[in-house]
Amino acid sequence: MIRRIGRNSIVARIVWLHILVVGSVSIFMPVALYFLLASETNEIQRQFITSQVNQIGKYLTRDDNGAWHLDLPEGIQDIYSEAYGRYRYAILNAQGKVLFSSLADKSAVFPDGVLTDETQYLERRDSGLTVQGARIPETIDGEPFWVEVGEDLSHRDVIIDDILGRFLQRVAWVTLPLLLLLLGLDIAIVRTVFRPVIRASEEAEAIRPSQPGVRLPSAELPGEIRPLVLAINNALERLEAGYRQQHEFAADAAHELRTPLAILRTRIDTMADREVSRQLRSDVERMSHTVNQLLEMAESEIFVVGPEEQADLHAVAVDVVSFLAPLIFGEGRSVSVSGVDGPVPVNGNVEMIARALRNLVENAAKYSPEGSEIEVIVDQAGALRITDEGAGISDDDKQLLFQRFWRRDRRRGTNSVGLGLAIVQRIMAAHGGEIEVHRRSPRGTEFVLRFRPFAPDAPEDSVGAV
């Protein structure tokens, strides 16, 4: 399905430009057609007037006494009669004297103007009437004459009046729907052409860090867009390769360090000086803890949660607390599980959720005073709340908590290297969940891990990292 066209998209720009063009054409085309039609109408009128002049000239004859006569057929006389009132004619000699005229006063049709040897198209306005016509020179028996024919525009043919007078009102309303229809077809064509581009952009938007192998389709793309998509796919391949090499290096390094650390720990245990052995063993334990966290970080970076994976938050909380309880109780603190006493299914990986919870509980134990209580609360809405009675976290520290290798108090003698909370955040991102930090009153801190409820039919695209 093609998503809604954005304001800055190529399709939107093409559509808006076409709308502007169609709007302009819908305004200027009727006007241009109107003037073109008016021009053609005038040309037809001139041709008709010219033919009438030539016709009248054929009936101008001279008798044996040298007198001129105009013997028009009855049909032509009717056209130029006063009763019909539409057409009029006059014949002038070389001195400008009117010899013959259809007008009652025997005057010229166009009394003003100079006689010339060229055809003249004239217009006369008199007593509210507009007369258009022509004055054409004729030579009969070697003597020059000028024949004038005019048409009263108030009696112009009804069809011509309707075309010229109502063209904009009728033809314009026919033109506009046709242009809008063409615009609709144009938009459909543009959307069809760009459908593969829009599909590729939707797939590009859906790519997540947890899906490094996804590539954009290029088979159906237009030739102008295909090189760009191929370049993006090549860039994704290089990023995937670098991403994979980075995590493989971190994982391999962590694995390779475990063996020499185990050997070093064994040799330290056999040393005669127990005090030195104790101090060195503490350093080795800290190094081992760092290596383990580096390995966990590398694993969490490439971890993907499938839509079919299900975890029970209550069961995970009970298992983690049961595992850590002896250590926490041995250090003079207490830990418990409360909240919902039954299954709380969420979409997630049991091992990774347990790892995130264990990091938070261990972190709470490190920064809580002796005699304090750590509580893991299971929420029916799919959340785990881890509370402690430590010093709390300031608003400034909240901005830095999840940065790698950040510690609140670097001078404090703990095995922490500042990776635990970064690992927790990455695990929550892989689950599509959220992590929150709140300061408790009067003292203490609360971490909240919010997971998505388990939905067996959830689409795969909805699962992944942020």
Side-chain angles (χ1 to χ4, degrees):
M1 181 180 294
I2 299 180
R3 62 182 178 183
R4 185 173 59 89
I5 300 176
R7 181 180 302 175
N8 294 324
S9 69
I10 296 177
V11 176
R13 294 178 182 180
I14 293 176
V15 169
W16 281 114
L17 286 175
H18 278 74
I19 290 176
L20 180 62
V21 170
V22 167
S24 302
V25 171
S26 65
I27 295 174
F28 291 110
M29 189 172 73
V31 175
L33 290 176
Y34 173 82
F35 285 107
L36 179 62
L37 182 61
S39 175
E40 290 296 326
T41 302
N42 290 332
E43 183 64 26
I44 293 174
Q45 182 193 22
R46 289 183 178 185
Q47 293 176 359
F48 175 78
I49 294 295
T50 301
S51 66
Q52 291 295 101
V53 169
N54 295 332
Q55 189 178 38
I56 291 174
K58 293 179 181 179
Y59 298 100
L60 183 61
T61 59
R62 185 165 50 182
D63 59 17
D64 296 337
N65 298 324
W68 291 94
H69 300 276
L70 182 64
D71 298 321
L72 295 176
E74 184 176 352
I76 296 179
Q77 290 181 7
D78 292 340
I79 293 176
Y80 292 98
S81 65
E82 289 283 348
Y84 187 63
R86 178 174 177 180
Y87 296 104
R88 60 200 64 187
Y89 72 85
I91 300 177
L92 291 71
N93 61 14
Q95 291 74 36
K97 179 181 177 182
V98 177
L99 300 181
F100 303 97
S101 176
S102 63
L103 298 176
D105 57 1
K106 303 303 179 181
S107 62
V109 178
F110 303 104
D112 301 328
V114 180
L115 300 179
T116 66
D117 294 334
E118 297 179 354
T119 299
Q120 296 175 282
Y121 294 100
L122 305 172
E123 182 176 316
R124 172 187 174 187
R125 298 180 184 275
D126 183 24
S127 301
L129 300 179
T130 299
V131 179
Q132 286 185 350
R135 180 190 291 153
I136 300 177
E138 294 277 353
T139 300
I140 302 175
D141 290 343
E143 188 171 339
F145 293 92
W146 279 264
V147 181
E148 296 180 341
V149 173
E151 179 185 4
D152 184 356
L153 297 186
S154 62
H155 294 82
R156 179 171 286 191
D157 188 75
V158 175
I159 296 178
I160 297 178
D161 284 344
D162 184 68
I163 293 176
L164 292 177
R166 302 184 181 182
F167 179 79
L168 287 176
Q169 292 84 355
R170 294 188 178 183
V171 177
W173 288 111
V174 174
T175 304
L176 184 59
L178 289 176
L179 291 175
L180 292 177
L181 176 61
L182 291 176
L183 176 61
L185 294 175
D186 199 11
I187 292 175
I189 292 173
V190 171
R191 290 173 66 95
T192 301
V193 171
F194 279 91
R195 183 176 289 114
V197 179
I198 296 175
R199 187 182 303 115
S201 65
E202 290 176 345
E203 294 191 18
E205 186 179 2
I207 294 178
R208 297 290 185 267
S210 59
Q211 302 169 315
V214 176
R215 297 294 180 268
L216 302 181
S218 59
E220 299 180 359
L221 290 176
E224 296 82 358
I225 306 295
R226 188 178 297 112
L228 175 60
V229 173
L230 292 177
I232 293 175
N233 285 338
N234 291 334
L236 289 174
E237 290 180 1
R238 292 192 295 270
L239 287 173
E240 181 186 2
Y243 192 70
R244 184 173 57 253
Q245 291 174 2
Q246 176 185 359
H247 295 299
E248 287 177 354
F249 171 78
D252 292 343
H255 279 296
E256 291 298 326
L257 286 173
R258 280 181 170 178
T259 300
L261 285 175
I263 296 173
L264 183 59
R265 185 185 299 111
T266 301
R267 292 182 178 179
I268 290 174
D269 290 340
T270 61
M271 291 179 61
D273 191 333
R274 307 312 297 173
E275 180 62 25
V276 174
S277 175
R278 185 186 63 79
Q279 293 178 0
L280 291 177
R281 184 177 180 83
S282 176
D283 293 337
V284 171
E285 291 294 341
R286 181 174 180 180
M287 291 177 63
S288 298
H289 181 72
T290 302
V291 169
N292 289 332
Q293 287 202 319
L294 285 173
L295 183 58
E296 289 183 1
M297 177 62 72
E299 292 176 353
S300 65
E301 289 289 349
I302 59 176
F303 173 70
V304 178
V305 179
E308 74 288 348
E309 292 192 73
Q310 179 181 1
D312 180 5
L313 288 186
H314 181 266
V316 172
V318 171
D319 289 344
V320 171
V321 170
S322 299
F323 177 78
L324 295 177
L327 177 62
I328 295 176
F329 281 114
E331 294 177 348
R333 303 171 184 83
S334 62
V335 61
S336 62
V337 178
S338 62
V340 178
D341 188 15
V344 179
V346 296
N347 176 221
N349 180 271
V350 173
E351 181 180 350
M352 284 297 178
I353 295 177
R355 184 176 296 178
L357 180 58
R358 186 176 67 250
N359 273 291
L360 290 178
V361 174
E362 290 178 346
N363 190 69
K366 290 175 184 177
Y367 293 98
S368 296
E370 292 186 10
S372 62
E373 180 182 6
I374 301 167
E375 187 176 12
V376 178
I377 306 171
V378 183
D379 193 327
Q380 183 64 54
L384 292 175
R385 302 176 183 271
I386 301 90
T387 64
D388 62 49
E389 298 175 358
I393 299 175
S394 65
D395 292 336
D396 293 336
D397 288 345
K398 286 182 181 180
Q399 308 300 322
L400 306 172
L401 272 179
F402 302 102
Q403 293 184 6
R404 297 178 183 180
F405 302 105
W406 181 85
R407 288 180 294 167
R408 179 170 54 183
D409 188 357
R410 295 182 178 272
R411 296 171 298 178
R412 183 169 179 175
T414 67
N415 289 333
S416 175
V417 292
L419 288 176
L421 292 180
I423 294 173
V424 174
Q425 184 187 49
R426 181 62 192 91
I427 292 174
M428 293 306 298
H431 283 79
E434 299 176 353
I435 180 171
E436 301 173 5
V437 185
H438 306 288
R439 184 182 179 90
R440 301 179 66 199
S441 179
R443 58 184 290 114
T445 305
E446 178 185 51
F447 283 86
V448 183
L449 305 181
R450 299 188 184 277
F451 297 88
R452 292 178 299 181
F454 178 68
D457 298 330
E460 188 173 353
D461 290 343
S462 66
V463 179
V466 176

